[in-house]
Amino acid sequence: MNSVAVFCGSSLGASDAYREGAILLGKELAKRQITLIYGGASVGIMATVANTVLQEGGKVIGVIPTLLEEREIAHQHLTELIVVNTMHERKSKMMELADGFIALPGGPGTLEEFFEVFTWNQIGLLQKPCAIFNMEGYFDLLISFFDHMQNEQFLKAQNREALIVAEDAATLLDKCESFVAPAVKTYELSK
């Protein structure tokens, strides 16, 4: 795995643990020489993980749409900053550049980005690890909801099992590096 896209908040959140977790992930990415692909901002958890990777000698590629370039204050000290026209182009570019995806604490935008790559994995458009860094139990309710979706037969067991969840950065990346994509279900129409 050469690169990982991280989806996370443009704010720091209520707990210092989120910032500390982002720092640990950034250090682990740099140590493993895994390029960080992220939203390109110089604020929030986004900036924390990017700055840490850079401080540890790693590579960081930011992808930011023109709409957010000024609002989120585009990071000017990255290995590379790619400015795109739309949010759709941002996600598309991040999916293209990344070998895997990790969600850190964030809001609706973080979840929307993560759900898209998870869904694309389910239907076979992607075959890349999708992981949740569940620091401080931030994603406990979401993980329970994934279990609920499986129990109610709206999520296949193989797809639920493909969701990587860990509470520390090293374990999370180990699981991403050993990821094997599940077979894609095909449906036959009855005649």
Side-chain angles (χ1 to χ4, degrees):
M1 193 164 62
N2 297 312
S3 60
V4 170
V6 171
F7 305 127
C8 57
S10 59
S11 65
L12 290 172
S15 172
D16 286 340
Y18 305 142
R19 184 180 165 281
E20 292 164 13
I23 290 169
L24 292 174
L25 179 62
K27 287 181 177 183
E28 196 65 31
L29 289 170
K31 180 174 117 181
R32 295 177 189 224
Q33 298 180 337
I34 297 172
T35 299
L36 169 66
I37 312 296
Y38 88 114
S42 63
V43 293
I45 298 292
M46 295 171 77
T48 302
V49 68
N51 288 336
T52 303
V53 172
L54 292 168
Q55 289 164 4
E56 297 292 317
K59 290 174 55 177
V60 179
I61 299 172
V63 183
I64 195 164
T66 52
L67 169 73
L68 297 179
E69 189 176 6
E70 291 181 16
R71 192 183 307 169
E72 287 187 351
I73 314 166
H75 201 304
Q76 299 301 316
H77 304 288
L78 304 175
T79 309
E80 183 179 357
L81 178 65
I82 300 169
V83 180
V84 295
N85 292 318
T86 68
M87 294 294 283
H88 291 295
E89 287 179 47
R90 177 197 226 180
K91 289 187 294 184
S92 178
K93 182 52 104 175
M94 291 175 77
M95 284 186 221
E96 173 192 326
L97 295 172
D99 296 327
F101 307 93
I102 298 173
L104 272 65
T110 299
L111 293 177
E112 185 268 333
E113 291 168 327
F114 184 77
F115 274 118
E116 184 164 336
V117 295
F118 184 80
T119 301
W120 283 31
N121 253 7
Q122 240 183 283
I123 61 176
L125 290 174
L126 292 175
Q127 296 276 284
K128 301 176 181 183
C130 293
I132 291 176
F133 190 178
N134 193 28
M135 57 183 84
E136 292 296 298
Y138 182 79
F139 288 107
D140 284 352
L141 294 172
L142 180 61
I143 294 162
S144 292
F145 192 67
F146 272 105
D147 294 336
H148 177 67
M149 284 188 275
Q150 181 184 341
N151 292 338
E152 294 299 315
Q153 300 177 7
F154 287 105
L155 178 64
K156 300 214 173 301
Q158 69 182 22
N159 296 110
R160 171 59 186 92
E161 290 165 12
L163 175 65
I164 297 167
V165 178
E167 295 176 5
D168 71 272
T171 301
L172 190 76
L173 290 174
D174 288 344
K175 289 180 176 185
C176 285
E177 289 178 331
S178 64
F179 172 77
V180 177
V184 177
K185 172 78 171 147
T186 58
Y187 295 90
E188 292 182 25
L189 297 175
S190 52
K191 297 180 181 185

